[in-house]
Amino acid sequence: MSSKTNVQHETTPIYTCDSKVHHTLKTVHDHLHQLCCGHTHRLVKVETMDGDVFEGHIVHCDKSILYIRLSNEGCNRAFFPGPVSPYYNNFVLPLVLFNLLAISLL
């Protein structure tokens, strides 16, 4: 008969979000989600906090992700190597809402 010991490991968080910051982030998240859902199928230009800029149509906004179908504008980006392709128009890019700096209607 084997004896099993119940080992419980305590975890020590290395980060805990402040309740005021959590409230602010939740408010921003809800606002962005509602805004993006209200502009589905609209042509937009999106700028991320890293300085990347994308143009396309909002396809869907689900929880914390914005999905845009990229237009042919700016398709010579470094992470889309190769020649411009007609298939590029069908590429849907998922973007994290909290990484967005600006969304403009075109």
Side-chain angles (χ1 to χ4, degrees), residues 9 14 18 24 28 37-38 73 83 90 93 95 105:
H9 298 281
I14 59 172
D18 179 73
T24 300
V28 170
C37 286
E73 300 301 317
N90 292 323
L93 181 67
L95 297 170
L105 293 175

Side-chain angles (χ1 to χ4, degrees), residues 16-35:
T16 303
C17 186
D18 179 73
S19 62
K20 290 179 186 176
V21 172
H22 178 259
H23 175 73
T24 300
L25 290 173
K26 177 78 171 122
T27 301
V28 170
H29 172 270
D30 292 346
H31 176 71
L32 279 173
H33 184 266
Q34 184 178 28
L35 182 96

Side-chain angles (χ1 to χ4, degrees), residues 48-102:
T48 68
M49 292 197 186
D50 297 326
D52 293 320
V53 177
F54 305 98
E55 287 186 14
H57 289 83
I58 295 176
V59 176
H60 183 66
C61 188
D62 183 25
K63 296 186 180 182
S64 299
I65 308 292
L66 170 66
Y67 298 91
I68 63 169
R69 182 175 318 280
L70 297 178
S71 67
N72 282 331
E73 300 301 317
C75 63
N76 56 349
R77 311 227 11 117
F79 48 84
F80 294 117
V84 175
S85 165
Y87 301 107
Y88 180 82
N89 236 359
N90 292 323
F91 188 82
V92 176
L93 181 67
L95 297 170
V96 177
L97 287 179
F98 284 118
N99 195 32
L100 304 182
L101 183 61

